[in-house]
Amino acid sequence: LILSDAGEETDKRAVEIRRLLVSYKAGRPYVGVESNERFYMLGLALNSARIVVRVFKQGAVSDLSAHIAQWFLDIDIVGRETFGFPTLIELLSATALKYKSEKIIPTLPPAVIQQILGGGQYPQTLLRSVLQRITAERGHVNFTRASLIKAYLNRQFYFTDKPEVSVALNQSDTRPAYCLGRLFAVLEKIQKDALPGIKTTIRNRYYARASTMPKSAFGALIKLNGHHLQKLTYGQRIAADKHVTRILALIADFPPVLSPDNQGLFAIGYYHQKADIYTKKTEENEKNDNDDVE
């Protein structure tokens, strides 16, 4: 609700602000709205026979625009060029069983919306819910889940002056959890190259333990990788071994336990590395196709 004198200009601003308020839910950026007018936003929900206030925000429209712009920066991650920005319901459904919106924790949407509009830290429930689903689905880190984790971590890190999580693979990021996620993705790719058509990979068997208790998991994984390397061609083996060695050089020690935030970093490292691997593979295939045409 915009409190202002009635008139055509007010109607135009109301339309503009309405588009702004819809943007973050629809996954369609509409930011940069500059206005010092005040807005008042009230979100209500039914609870048995009572009406409950779920969201109440007030402030300057320009601040609201800046906070929504930050939301789109928060969720931006490699893959957006293919999938576009996800809607809010798509993102929150990634925390629920079988992506069913009715399975989303009821308190989660209003808590997230409060922080999107207010520029605060996202609730811990958001990260815990995403990590639980990833674990339950044996390491299924997809675009929407990676987007949510990046958003949560970067908003946390912003308030603690820690380095941000990048949009795509960052080979200069030496945080152990991030590097371990990268390493896990490379070990999985080696396994798939060594055993074409394999349906149950290390992701299915080891992701949960590797992302929570890496010290107890990676000894077995690296030993298993030695067997996989022997099944590759000489050229593949040399390239794969160099890739593993480069990442291992960034890891001083394997932590016995990873905190939830570091489990999130592990997931991002895993997602970034997989995206990079398959992007390069696609580029190589396209180059080979072009060479064939020539």
Side-chain angles (χ1 to χ4, degrees):
L1 173 63
I2 305 301
L3 302 181
S4 181
D5 295 333
E8 185 177 345
E9 286 302 315
T10 299
D11 291 341
K12 288 181 179 178
R13 285 196 295 274
V15 170
E16 189 175 47
I17 293 164
R18 189 176 296 114
R19 289 181 66 182
L20 175 65
L21 286 170
V22 168
S23 65
Y24 72 92
K25 292 183 179 180
R28 295 192 298 269
Y30 184 79
V31 295
V33 180
E34 295 296 331
S35 173
N36 290 324
E37 288 181 291
R38 303 285 295 175
F39 77 92
Y40 301 85
M41 180 178 177
L42 181 66
L44 304 175
L46 291 175
N47 185 1
S48 300
R50 298 177 299 167
I51 293 178
V52 178
V53 176
R54 292 293 192 194
V55 178
F56 177 72
K57 299 301 295 184
Q58 60 176 316
V61 171
S62 56
D63 291 340
L64 176 67
S65 180
H67 293 155
I68 291 176
Q70 185 60 51
W71 162 252
F72 284 108
L73 291 175
D74 288 344
I75 63 174
D76 190 15
I77 198 165
V78 60
R80 180 180 61 80
E81 61 280 2
T82 301
F83 301 109
F85 281 112
T87 65
L88 182 61
I89 192 64
E90 287 172 341
L91 285 165
L92 295 181
S93 294
T95 69
L97 177 66
K98 296 182 179 179
Y99 294 87
K100 292 183 177 180
S101 57
E102 62 269 23
K103 298 290 186 180
I104 299 170
I105 298 172
T107 57
L108 190 56
V112 171
I113 290 171
Q114 284 272 16
Q115 304 314 322
I116 292 174
L117 301 181
Q121 297 183 44
Y122 300 121
Q124 291 183 350
T125 311
L126 182 66
L127 179 64
R128 289 201 302 268
S129 300
V130 181
L131 293 176
Q132 285 171 2
R133 291 315 315 156
I134 291 172
T135 299
E137 296 178 23
R138 299 181 180 183
H140 184 47
V141 184
N142 60 11
F143 169 66
T144 48
R145 287 174 178 162
S147 296
L148 270 184
I149 293 171
K150 175 180 174 285
Y152 176 89
L153 291 177
N154 274 356
R155 191 62 66 91
Q156 293 288 105
F157 294 162
Y158 174 79
F159 286 98
T160 57
D161 295 325
K162 292 182 180 179
E164 288 189 354
V165 176
S166 57
V167 173
L169 179 65
N170 180 5
Q171 298 188 41
S172 299
D173 192 333
T174 58
R175 284 173 285 191
Y178 183 79
C179 294
L180 288 168
R182 288 184 58 199
L183 177 60
F184 193 85
V186 171
L187 295 179
E188 182 186 27
K189 179 62 166 58
I190 292 170
Q191 182 187 36
K192 287 182 176 181
D193 288 343
L195 304 170
I198 186 173
K199 294 182 179 180
T200 301
T201 68
I202 59 171
R203 178 184 73 100
N204 306 97
R205 295 178 56 196
Y206 285 96
Y207 183 93
R209 187 149 61 102
S211 63
T212 55
M213 298 180 289
K215 191 167 187 175
S216 70
F218 273 93
L221 287 169
I222 291 172
K223 183 177 180 181
L224 190 61
N225 184 61
H227 298 297
H228 295 151
L229 286 171
Q230 296 306 313
K231 296 181 181 295
L232 299 178
T233 64
Y234 177 77
Q236 286 178 316
R237 185 163 62 250
I238 296 300
D241 193 46
K242 284 183 177 179
H243 203 167
V244 170
T245 301
R246 281 197 300 269
I247 299 175
L248 280 174
L250 301 174
I251 304 170
D253 194 14
F254 290 88
V257 178
L258 292 182
S259 67
D261 281 7
N262 281 323
Q263 290 174 40
L265 264 180
F266 183 102
I268 294 294
Y270 174 70
Y271 177 82
H272 276 174
Q273 188 66 65
K274 282 190 71 171
D276 186 71
I277 288 170
Y278 290 104
T279 297
K280 287 180 179 176
K281 183 177 179 181
T282 300
E283 290 173 350
E284 288 173 3
N285 290 339
E286 290 175 353
K287 181 179 181 300
N288 292 335
D289 291 341
N290 292 334
D291 290 343
D292 290 341
V293 171
E294 293 172 1

